[in-house]
Structure formats: C-alpha cells, structure tokens
Amino acid sequence: MRFRSTGNLGDVVATLESGSYTDRLSKRRWSLPEMDAAAAALAGWFGERYDQGDRIGILGLNGADFMQTYLGVMRAGLVAVPINHKLPGETVAYILADSQCRAVFHHREFQSLLPSELSAFAFEDNAFSEARKGEAAASVHPDKGVVAEILYTSGSTGRPKGVPLDHHGQLWALELFLDAIGDVPQKTIIVAPTYHMNGLFFTTVALAKGWHTWSMPRFEARVFLSLVDEERISMLSGIPTMFAMMSRERDLIETLDLTSVTSVAIGSAPLTDALVETVQFIFPNAAVTNSYGTTESGPAMFGPHPDGLSRPVTAIGYPYPGVELRLEDGGPDWGRLLTRTPATLSNYLNLPEVTAKKITDGWYDTGDIVRRDSEGFYHFVGRADD
C-alpha cells in the first residue's frame, strides 16, 4: 500500500504493510507495521505528558530509537528537535534552551552533553522500552503552518540557527519527491546522520516508499561495502567524502559483488566528473545523480526534466513543479539563487535580524551561485561568500 498523507509528517509509515527497517545499532529488524505501532504508542505516551506545541529534543545515533521518537513526537502534536551529538556540551545546551525543549531523549553515551536541570530519558532505559509498547494514540491533525520540527543548521560561523519547518511544507516536498522517483522497490542504507536534513529526509523517503532499509549508526567504509554486497543493496545516498573513503578499500572491493547498486545520489557538496568516475569504479552499474537542497528551503527543489531530457551528470537538476526560483546579482542564466516554495522556512527561530536579511516576501536567499543551461538544468557553481 502506498503512502497516503494524513497531514501529519509523523504518519509516514501509518499506511504501509510491507518493507522493513533494520537497525544495525541494536541489531534488530523492524517491519514497517511494527515501526508504525511503536511510533503510535510513543505518541500516546507523549500526549499524556506534554502539551501540543511543546518541543522535545532528540540526541542520538541513527536507528529505530531515534526514528520512532521523531515520528511519535510529531504524531502527538509536539515539535521534534534533532540535535547533532558531535557538538560540544555548551552548544547542545544552547540549542535546548533556544528551542525551549521540555525534555530530551538520548542515547546514554551522550548524557554528559546534557544540562543537569533538563528532564532527560535514555533510550536504553526500561521506561522507554515500555513506552513504545503502550497504548497507541491517534495522530493529531495539525492546521496549516503548525511546526513539525526544528532543525539546526551546522553554521560555518557563530552558533547554529534554528529552522522551524511545518507539517504542510515538508509533506508537500516529500510527496513531490516520491512522485518523481517512481515506485520501483529498493533496498537502501541510511548512514548520513538523521539529526541533519540530508539523512532525515532520505530516511523519511525510504519509510514512505516501504523500502527495505538498513540504518548504520556511523559510517565505516569496509562495513558499508560489505553490507551492500551481503544484502544486495540497490540505492545509495551519501556525500563525496564517503565515496572517497570507500575508493581506498580496493582490496575489499575486488572481493565483493557490488553490481546490485543501480542508483547513487550525492549531495551536500559539489559533484565533479572525477567523483562520478570514482563512484562508478566502486558501483559499476550505478547511475549517479547530484542532489541539492538546504535545511531552510526544503529537501526537494530539483529533479528530472519534465520532457524526459537526459540530465547532465553534474547538474543539480530541473526545478520541480511549484518551485519558484530567481537568480540575482549575475546574468540572465546565472547568479545567486533565491527560492520560494511551501517547504521554505518563514523565519529563523528567535533571530529576527537574520530572518530580515535572508527572507523577503517568502523568498529565501540560499547564498549559492548557480547557472542555468540551455535545456533548463541548473548547475551549482559555488557560494556567494567564498
């Protein structure tokens, strides 16, 4: 059964009867109906203890604990705040205070990062295990504009900035992306951290499609390659550094059958011809695509050409329907990219001056320089402030 939107981003697995989620951290495999049941039980637990709109921090490694909490929080009408566990304790404390989190759920190894006065629950505790076996609750159906999650940008300078994102906009982006990639069953690995838009959105796509998914808590090149071979993985998503690290494992690659991979999407950094050659050396049957998105503007901006034209391998794609774009401070076909979509943030959290600088009449200034070719495909050039 295909994903059907209920208006709540937490319901991405609520209508699926097939597919699985294998948690390499706990070494447990969950069917998607089991993931749904756990998220519904957690929603009931949250709903009994917190008010709608309360913020709940999530500080953990990739896996079922993280994703079920993320889904359950949103189903209960609360706001999920995923937090980068690689940040120092001072920055974690700032994010929790800035977002006004009522509580935080975490893996025990990150407990030292948390301020002592905040209510905290470890995933390893029996209380959490019991909570996800409890009585299921129906999902809240939020009005348009109600915030589902607050993601924090990594920020090259200064403190991370909170980006509130609403249910309506994120579901709009998800459905756009799901329609574009078709209904071919896939097996995939999630290793990009789910505290970041890249890994979080790709996990949401995999769940909504009912794919068989393997979640890795950390990237280890040899483990990753062996898993592709053992499970006959067909689709991968990652960043350039991952594939560069894999390419160094030539002795292992020569012993594995990696021909099952037919699609590789690379994001978070520019794609070069040399990188494409590297990926195709590792995965000889893979078609490589360049993906683009920002936390602020949403995960679905560019995709295939509506006329079926072949996409240049290093292009970030052709704008999806409903994606408004402008190019400024350049020429007719190049410049700084501004965008406006239902998924675009309306404001930065508690930062009115930054909001005024970056957002005007719903248009978000990405700060990225792009060019548009004669067929309408866009290509990433660099950052305006480089």
Side-chain angles (χ1 to χ4, degrees):
M1 186 181 296
R2 187 175 176 179
F3 162 71
R4 296 194 307 272
S5 175
T6 65
N8 189 310
L9 185 59
D11 281 341
V12 292
V13 294
T15 61
L16 299 174
E17 298 171 356
S18 60
S20 63
Y21 182 95
T22 301
D23 183 349
R24 297 276 292 189
L25 180 63
S26 66
K27 299 179 174 56
R28 174 173 173 180
R29 180 170 183 162
W30 299 75
S31 70
L32 294 193
E34 287 174 330
M35 289 286 284
D36 174 46
L42 286 169
W45 191 92
F46 286 121
E48 291 177 354
R49 289 162 176 79
Y50 302 102
D51 297 325
Q52 291 188 26
D54 282 348
R55 286 83 181 267
I56 304 295
I58 310 174
L59 184 71
L61 297 165
N62 288 11
D65 296 337
F66 188 111
M67 286 308 301
Q68 290 167 6
T69 301
Y70 171 72
L71 298 175
V73 164
M74 293 188 294
R75 287 185 180 199
L78 313 182
V79 179
V81 185
I83 302 170
N84 181 351
H85 55 73
K86 297 179 182 179
L87 294 171
E90 178 184 0
T91 307
V92 171
Y94 165 77
I95 290 172
L96 290 166
D98 184 60
S99 59
Q100 296 182 311
C101 280
R102 287 282 310 278
V104 61
F105 284 71
H106 63 94
H107 281 120
R108 192 171 286 132
E109 65 180 280
F110 306 123
Q111 188 163 350
S112 62
L113 298 175
L114 298 173
S116 57
E117 67 274 13
L118 184 66
S119 177
F121 301 87
F123 292 129
E124 294 89 346
D125 290 346
N126 288 335
F128 180 76
S129 298
E130 292 303 313
R132 65 178 169 193
K133 296 176 186 175
E135 186 174 346
S139 297
V140 170
H141 296 287
D143 293 333
K144 187 174 180 179
V146 170
V147 173
E149 59 189 353
I150 301 172
L151 304 185
Y152 275 78
T153 63
S154 54
S156 55
T157 59
R159 285 173 162 171
K161 298 185 289 292
V163 179
L165 300 170
D166 63 60
H167 289 269
H168 171 76
Q170 295 309 296
L171 285 167
W172 174 87
L174 177 62
E175 291 178 310
L176 203 63
F177 195 85
L178 296 179
D179 286 342
I181 63 177
D183 293 324
V184 177
Q186 302 284 0
K187 294 181 177 181
T188 193
I189 301 172
I190 305 293
V191 68
T194 44
Y195 56 71
H196 186 272
M197 174 64 85
N198 188 324
L200 191 57
F201 181 69
F202 190 58
T203 305
T204 305
V205 169
L207 292 174
K209 279 292 186 183
W211 293 347
H212 293 287
T213 302
W214 282 258
S215 172
M216 290 180 64
R218 296 182 176 88
F219 177 71
E220 299 173 73
R222 295 180 75 87
V223 174
F224 187 94
L225 288 164
S226 297
L227 183 58
V228 171
D229 174 43
E230 293 165 9
E231 301 295 347
R232 311 305 300 150
I233 300 298
S234 58
M235 175 179 279
L236 295 173
S237 175
I239 61 175
T241 307
M242 285 173 47
F243 297 99
M245 293 173 68
M246 283 187 267
S247 69
R248 300 175 193 149
E249 307 296 340
R250 288 177 177 254
D251 61 321
L252 177 62
I253 291 170
E254 290 173 357
T255 69
L256 302 176
D257 179 2
L258 304 175
T259 58
S260 60
V261 178
T262 58
S263 177
V264 173
I266 300 178
S268 300
L271 184 60
T272 64
D273 290 327
L275 178 59
V276 172
E277 291 178 7
T278 296
V279 174
Q280 291 181 330
F281 159 73
I282 305 170
F283 305 110
N285 289 343
V288 182
T289 56
N290 194 2
S291 59
Y292 175 89
T294 70
T295 304
E296 293 93 337
S297 59
M301 290 180 62
F302 299 98
H305 198 286
D307 296 331
L309 300 181
S310 179
R311 176 174 170 174
V313 69
T314 57
I316 55 179
Y318 190 94
Y320 281 118
V323 174
E324 297 181 83
L325 301 176
R326 288 199 333 236
L327 301 179
E328 293 192 351
D329 300 331
D333 291 311
W334 71 277
R336 197 175 74 255
L337 178 66
L338 279 72
T339 182
R340 182 168 65 180
T341 78
T344 305
L345 84 165
S346 60
N347 65 282
Y348 285 99
L349 187 67
N350 305 323
L351 295 170
E353 292 182 3
V354 178
T355 298
K357 181 179 178 181
K358 297 287 286 184
I359 305 167
T360 304
D361 192 26
W363 287 90
Y364 167 68
D365 183 349
T366 67
D368 291 329
I369 303 296
V370 301
R371 67 176 177 86
R372 180 174 52 226
D373 66 24
S374 60
E375 293 179 330
F377 288 106
Y378 283 71
H379 302 254
F380 178 83
V381 176
R383 290 286 297 170
D385 55 5
D386 279 350

